[in-house]
Amino acid sequence: MSIAVTGATGQLGRLIVTALLDRGVPAGEIVAIGRDRERLADLAGQGVVTRPADYDDPDSLRAALAGTEKLMFVSGSEVGRRRPQHANVVSAAREAGVGLVVYTSIAHADTAEMRLAGEHRDTERLIRDSGLPYVFLRNSWYLENYTDQLDAYREHGVAGAAGDGRVSAATRADYAEAAAVVLTSDGHDHQVYELGGAPFTLTDLAAEVARQTGAPVGYTDLPADRYTEVLVAAGLPEGYAAVLADSDLGLARGELEVGDDLAKLLGHAPTTLAEAIRAAR
């Protein structure tokens, strides 16, 4: 059983390959796909099959997916370009006769109003319309989105436009483990899983950072346009800052809060906010 993993040079894709190996999938039955073969070299050294491909290059995708039986389709990272890129992946998977497509979507992709959901919603529709068997892993936020900013939180506090909304964030490793479970067990065809950890507000986040660091960290809620300005002042491109602020508005509406599908797939509780902060300190 050959399992292809796209985006294997990215953080989530790499963790999925590792999770498959940890679950006993032979290295030679895993096809790690990415744009830069050099960044796949260490996986090749472990016996994993590596193939270069680019979401913008249909021919490379067809070659990379040839002969594979399952596809772990990690969504692209280029917001605004994912519709044509993902269409290329779905087309290549259909031509290759892949038996199952597991796609990393976003929480509540079918109903969420945040900008990021649109490309995922359209990709889900493409996959359904292709006739390929599928599983949609609708991932909420990564805990790393927050724990990577601990130094900034200690210095400036937590800011956002999320109000009292709750986010069911989980670690990339937890999402990767869940993906590996789906890829290596039966009974998941045509299932949609809303994945995330125990929900928390950004006020909860600030309180936990303060508790663990001893710093006087609080949460400042801002209008989305003002939060965008804060992010731009911190060095983010304006377009990306606007997307993040819009995502916070989605968080406020409950679009990133999910149930316990992740815990059920893992067979254990996902990493908590407190545990993630402790590990990142």
Side-chain angles (χ1 to χ4, degrees), residues 22-197:
D22 289 344
R23 287 183 64 82
V25 178
E29 294 181 8
I30 301 172
V31 180
I33 298 170
R35 285 183 290 191
D36 186 347
R37 189 185 284 275
E38 290 185 5
R39 293 175 62 190
L40 296 171
D42 62 316
L43 292 175
Q46 298 176 56
V48 174
V49 178
T50 61
R51 296 176 183 173
D54 190 312
Y55 286 172
D56 287 311
D57 184 348
D59 289 339
S60 72
L61 289 167
R62 283 192 287 270
L65 296 181
T68 59
E69 298 172 67
K70 292 184 180 181
L71 169 60
M72 181 65 244
F73 178 8
V74 178
S75 57
S77 60
E78 297 177 77
V79 177
R81 287 203 37 77
R82 291 189 284 198
R83 285 181 177 88
Q85 290 177 336
H86 289 184
N88 289 338
V89 177
V90 174
S91 178
R94 187 174 58 246
E95 289 185 36
V98 169
L100 180 70
V101 177
V102 180
Y103 173 65
T104 60
S105 189
I106 196 170
H108 305 296
D110 54 338
T111 59
E113 298 176 17
M114 69 172 68
R115 296 182 197 176
L116 287 177
E119 291 175 311
H120 290 292
R121 183 162 49 247
D122 289 348
T123 301
E124 288 188 5
R125 185 179 302 115
L126 274 174
I127 294 170
R128 282 194 174 100
D129 290 348
S130 75
L132 292 166
Y134 63 83
V135 181
F136 296 148
L137 304 180
R138 290 179 174 171
N139 295 343
S140 183
W141 255 207
Y142 299 135
L143 276 169
E144 290 89 346
N145 291 352
Y146 303 113
T147 58
D148 286 352
Q149 301 183 68
L150 290 182
D151 288 342
Y153 293 158
R154 282 191 288 258
E155 184 174 355
H156 304 293
V158 179
D164 294 325
R166 303 202 306 171
V167 55
S168 299
T171 63
R172 287 187 181 90
D174 282 336
Y175 290 127
E177 183 183 346
V181 168
V182 168
L183 288 161
T184 58
S185 58
D186 297 327
H188 304 288
D189 286 19
H190 300 101
Q191 295 298 307
V192 177
Y193 295 110
E194 300 280 354
L195 302 181

Side-chain angles (χ1 to χ4, degrees), residues 181 193 195 259-270:
V181 168
Y193 295 110
L195 302 181
D260 60 355
D261 283 355
L262 181 57
K264 289 178 180 177
L265 284 175
L266 297 178
H268 60 80

